[in-house]
Amino acid sequence: MWADTLVHCLDSVSLFISGRGSDSTAWCCLIRNVGLCTNAMFFISCVSVQEANQTLHTDRPDLPECFQLSVLSWLPCIYLWAVSPIYLFYLKMNNRGYIMMSIMNRFKTAFGLLLWIVCWTDLFSTFHELRQGISHPPIYFVTPLVLGMTMLLATFLIQFERLRGVQSSGVLFIFWFLSVLCAIVPFRSKILQASSKEEKRVTDKLRFTTFYFYFGLVVCELILCCFNEKPPLFSNAVTDPNPCPETSAGFLSTMTFWWFTSMAIKGYKMPLEAKDLWSLNQRDSSKVMVPKLLKEWEKELAKAKRYVFKLSVKDILKPLARGGGESSPEEVEVLLSNQKSSPRQPSFLRALIKAFGPYFLIGSAFKLLQDIITFVNPQLLRMLIIFTKQEGVPDWWGYALAFLMFFTAFLQTLILHHHFQYCFVTGMNVRTAIIGAIYRKALVITNAAKRSSTVGEVVNLMSVDAQRFMDLTTFLNMLWSAPLQIMLALYFLWQNLGPSVLAGVAVMIMLIPFNAVIAMKMRGYQVEQMRLKDSRIKLMNEILNGIKVLKLYAWENSFKEKVLAIRQKELNVLRKTAYLGALSTMAWTSAPFMVALTSFAVYVYVTVDENTALDAERAFVSLSLFNILRFPLNMLPQVISSIVQASVSLKRIQSFLSHDELDPNSVDRNNTATEFSVTVANGKFTWAKEDPPVLHNINVMVPQGSLLAVVGHVGCGKSSLISALLGEMERLEGEVSIRGSVAYVPQQAWIQNITLRDNILFGKPYNEQKYRSVLEACALTPDLEVLPGGDLTEIGEKGINLSGGQRQRVSLARALYSDTDVYLLDDPLSAVDAHVAKHIFDNLIGPDGALKGKTRILVTHGISFLPQVDNIMVMVDGRVSEMGSYQELLKQDGAFAEFLRNYALEDIVEEDEAIGRPPPPLCSKSARISAKQTDGCSMRQGCSQRKHSEPQEKKKPHDMVKLIQTENTETGRVKTKVYLEYAKAVGPLLSVFICFLYGCQNAASIGSNIWLSEWTNDAARNATKENLNMRVGVYAALGTAQGILVLISSFTLAMGNMAAARKLHYNLLSNKLHTPQSFFDTTPIGRIINRFSKDIYVIDEALPATVLMFLSTLFASLSTMLVIVSTTPIFAVVIVPLAVAYVFVQRFYVATSRQLKRLESVSRSPIYSNFSETITGASVIRAYGRHSAFVLMSDTKVDENQKSYYPGIVSNRWLGVRIEFIGNCIVLFAAMFAVTRKQSLTAGLVGLSVSYALQVTMSLNWMVRMTSDLESNIVAVERVKEYSETKPEAPWEVEDKKPSPNWPVEGNVQFQNYSVRYREGLDLVLKNLTLSVKGGEKIGIVGRTGAGKSSMTLCLFRLLEAAAGEITIDEVKIAEIGLHDLRSKLTIIPQEPVLFSGTLRMNLDPFEQCSDDELWKALEQSHLHKFVRNQPAKLELECTEGGENLSVGQRQLVCLARALLRKTRILVLDEATAAIDLETDDLIQSTIRTQFEDCTVFTIAHRLNTIMDYTRVLVLDKGQVAEFDTPTSLISQKGIFYSMAKDAGLVL
């Protein structure tokens, strides 16, 4: 209905303007149609045909007084009275506080009351004149009465708003604006009346005066309305140190996003920092958003449960109803389990809609309004073209149309950007809520659920899937808006071209399947490419995690080939995608032209009527409608594709949020009825309900304050028991109760990326005295002297800059500081030196330690402490084998006594004697020490190596020291060099050729439109049928040429981008594999992975798209300017100021936006790293009851990220409004200059110029956006280039220095005055080392922590390069040969066993050089053959990431098998059996002795007994040789080695 009205109305105007038909007919027709919107009743009653002619056909137009007094006066009043009820209800519901009466508020109120007085002065004056016999029409009574009442209402609203805390009123601003707008016409009329030369110009002086009073007061009210009131008392704006100005922004400021300007200026002056960002609005914070979503989700879960329950009850009752007797419990169980697969699932989508739908709908309303307004300008263009054809019409008509076009476009801009604002904020809120919901869920999911959702997958849910929802909300409205726009455009096109438009529609319909096929193919390629990308990143992650092992084994080339093979497949898929993208771009660019060509061709060939020729009016109005069609046609497939992607994400998130949660009641924490602190009765536990039980028939009762030791072989269920006590396992039978609070020390210490002190405090308040005693008990005081910042040193991710023993002691310190009732200690002493273990047991765990009186359950492999514990529990295959005190178990003479006979220590005898116990009967096979010394110095511990050198510089207790430096964040503009670097990677000539092709395609586009302009001028010359074939043919040829050029340029650009992506990735990978180990020690792996994932993704996908869009918009904008200037040369005058304004806004935006994006990406990483960290330590967090604190921490990190994302959204809106305003000015000036040059321009040229101007707004906006995106994305090239130019290590092979193939023959090793440091600027870790080792000797290397043991072995492999001196192996100086030539001839079994995901065969033999027999033999000698033979896949057994599906001990055995396969003359064992139980260790030592009998062996000893039969022992102290002789000789010297042996109980 409204569309018909609009068309008829505009038809009437054009009929009137064109002069077709009589004046009166045209005018009446116009009135009839316009009257629907403007209360034409008064208009018709007041306006005669003669007055109409005076109004329109004159150079000084004016409206009749009757119209001014009725329609113009009543319009603002109708608006205010209509809006007031809704607005008052809104104010009643939203009270923001109370605003004190200000001077401005007093003025507003006073002016409102004065307006009421002025209006009613007119009313009383009319009554007075009536009494004097002067009669007036009723309008003179009604209008002042209505105006006066309205002014009273406005005054009331001013005060009511103040009481409800409204600082700026949009409702009143629109009212005062309308009042001023409507009063301008009478204002001008009265001036014209006063200045006319007729006598008695002003007859009614009172009303003349009151009107000017009225006008002045309304203008004052409008001006005052532009300013803000002070914030309400006690509001956030008052208390927040850096509040977001949006909350207190005025209406005008909100509409134009002016409130953002302060940040734009600040960002332009200097790079923004995190402290410059505004606080997040309360409504957008996690605190509000997450509970909002979770509340709806919980309702959905409850509904689903009710539904399942109803179904199950029905199914159980059915047989009863049939008289079939009772259902058996088994049947009930089956029925209930069947309901799990019931169709009713909780709907996450419904929860999202309920939580965020209402806010999103406001944005949808804006979109509807914008869609309707979009179609006004093509109609105004038609009227402008008609105007230019007419002679003798007043110029003001043309100017009025030009300004109408400008205001329509400006209104459209404001509405569109507010729609976007609502959509983007909804997207942001959805992301916040999803991340919060996933985080909360991840803290409580069961172990079975964890298997189906790895940490990586859940991080993907938070990053990728949440992002997809965020992206979708932006354009979701296009789902209904695109069809609406298409229908409206087709309707108007039908009005314009008639049935011939169907030909165009047919072309569009034909293009749909073409685009759909491309979209489906691209979707498939995208899935494939994501899969390949995931596998490449997974492999890179493993390579970087195991880079040390790769270097030690010289395996880099094998893994490089693997990565490049995946990369090649990835590039092949990307190439196909890019080619399809080029076809899609061609279709998108050519679609409007193809539609126009077919429609015009059919129109001119089929139409026979001479009056319906293809004139400028039809052609260019149709063309602007076709251009409107382009956006919805392009967006619709994209939106559908996004919805498909989001639906996949929806299922993934819904599935994750539906996972089972750990039962918080599985462990009874309130049991006070018994004297036992920990009780397990008939416990049967499993990790997942579908798995077989792991623990059977567990009965444990631990008395208050006692110490229970849990012992047993590897894999017997000791750690599972601790997990069961924590409620981490599924309880199938029995009861578990723990009285009081719990502290938990896991087997692998969990360390956060915070300071050492914060790791220990773990949220507890700091107490100096208590803290110092905790450090002392955990033997951490000496370590603080090593760390540069003492306890304020920042610990890297996963405790990277602490040794294994230090990490374990920090974990113990955390438990001790927490001061709980029950302590669960899962093998904490395995990772520390023997003497440290003794210290910790004596001072912390043991009967006289800090924990005496507390209940302690200690899992241990160490049997030296067992005599001092209260009770021992022996576990075998998930059952309690024996339990009792040490003496009781010995008397029972069971498995425990047998175990002791084989592996007991002599120091037990000493302890027994010291405490007066009779020594047990010992049959000592060979004295052993069980404590595992992994506390030795590791490569990552560069700082620790300095501890003996300069003690005075060690500790700066008050400064937090960051061992891993913050990543460099670039600031300011991206250097031109980076762009050139990318152009160079694409190919310099190709880059120039691409720009040339884009220029050509735009030239073809301009040519086709100029040709159309010429063609339409034929109508004016009545030559429509002449040269018709030539007109259509040339037009078609130019358009086709444009399409082909688009295709070629897109193909060429895709080829160039692929070449650049390949080259940049290859350089990055090659450099990283050639980078020295020291780089990886100081750089977090996440930072390097970021280069391979995020930055390479940007170079692969985001950057090409940005370059494509940038070039398209740049050339489109240039061609628009060219066309307008060539049509109306005077336009060149305006280009300069507009260009200055454009560049000015662009510079402000790009500087601010660039830095906001950098801040956003920097603040995004902590969300995911904190999440990964949390998941790893979830059991610790739950044990300590820190769930809420970690949720709050995650929410804070998300809010910090949104703090930089939100201004980023607003910056785009701020830019859009300003740039589109400049675009609207171009429309205004193009139309105005067309009016001024009306005589010299043809209608075709006017159409051409203005239709181009109407397109420019979008091009300009996108050009700035693309400039910013290009800057943001090109940073990826800068970052990749930075890591591609890291200083490399020595060459892998030196051709002229290659050693002979069978080198080393003897295995002689000599160190000559050898010194080494970890990195430049650090102290020496080995000083003047001189020693000689003969081939075949077995050398044990011992020393206290930090003595340089590991460093010495690393020097052999040249992971550390010499600072002075040299090492020779069989007379060859190792510094002179290639690294691979050296490393491939040495073998090491490293301290930390590293496995890669892939088959066991690949892990043993990556170069596939060994036969199956050799592999099986190696497995047999490393005691793994039984395990591997029992696996169905045998050698093809798939190892998971990091070898997680093998125990630590089994991984260590795989490393031994590797060494056996390499069988080189020199073998290095770096604490190689640290994670293996005593029995397996014994077997391994015998294997090493037999298989490497003739080899030179260097062993870093963790169990001194293993090297007691070695040829010689090297004792290092402070990086120097302290002692070097046979073990017997060293013991007799009673030096360092003697004291270590004594500590280990090897000598008395």
Side-chain angles (χ1 to χ4, degrees), residues 8 89 175 480 684 782 829 866 1144 1230 1238 1250 1297 1429:
H8 290 315
F89 177 74
F175 169 68
W480 58 264
K684 189 176 183 182
L829 303 178
L866 297 182
F1144 189 66
K1238 178 183 156 191
V1250 179
K1297 294 277 186 182
R1429 282 196 197 281

Side-chain angles (χ1 to χ4, degrees), residues 1198-1213:
V1198 173
D1199 287 351
E1200 278 299 312
N1201 177 238
Q1202 303 292 37
K1203 257 172 70 174
S1204 48
Y1205 177 75
Y1206 183 66
I1209 297 174
V1210 181
S1211 70
N1212 285 335
R1213 307 285 72 77

Side-chain angles (χ1 to χ4, degrees), residues 526-558:
Q526 189 188 20
V527 171
E528 174 69 6
Q529 194 245 331
M530 284 300 285
R531 189 184 62 75
L532 289 166
K533 182 188 165 195
D534 284 350
S535 57
R536 176 171 61 82
I537 296 306
K538 184 182 172 190
L539 181 56
M540 274 315 304
N541 194 29
E542 290 192 66
I543 287 173
L544 293 171
N545 272 307
I547 190 75
K548 189 172 172 183
V549 171
L550 287 193
K551 287 184 179 298
L552 291 170
Y553 287 135
W555 281 357
E556 293 101 328
N557 275 328
S558 166

Side-chain angles (χ1 to χ4, degrees), residues 777-780 783 805 809 829 831-843 865 931 935 1344-1345 1543:
C778 297
L780 276 168
D783 296 278
R809 282 180 279 140
L829 303 178
V832 295
D833 293 350
H835 64 286
V836 178
K838 191 171 186 304
H839 173 97
I840 290 173
F841 189 83
D842 293 344
N843 292 279
F865 310 115
D935 214 4
R1344 300 286 186 193
T1345 300
D1543 276 350

Side-chain angles (χ1 to χ4, degrees), residues 735-756:
E735 297 295 327
V736 184
S737 69
I738 292 185
R739 195 162 69 189
S741 53
V742 174
Y744 170 49
V745 178
Q747 193 170 7
Q748 289 186 313
W750 177 66
I751 305 294
Q752 286 181 271
N753 182 12
I754 48 179
T755 64
L756 186 74

Side-chain angles (χ1 to χ4, degrees), residues 957-971:
H958 302 296
D959 300 327
M960 181 175 154
V961 175
K962 295 180 86 68
L963 295 175
I964 289 167
Q965 292 306 311
T966 310
E967 185 171 4
N968 291 335
T969 306
E970 293 293 330
T971 52

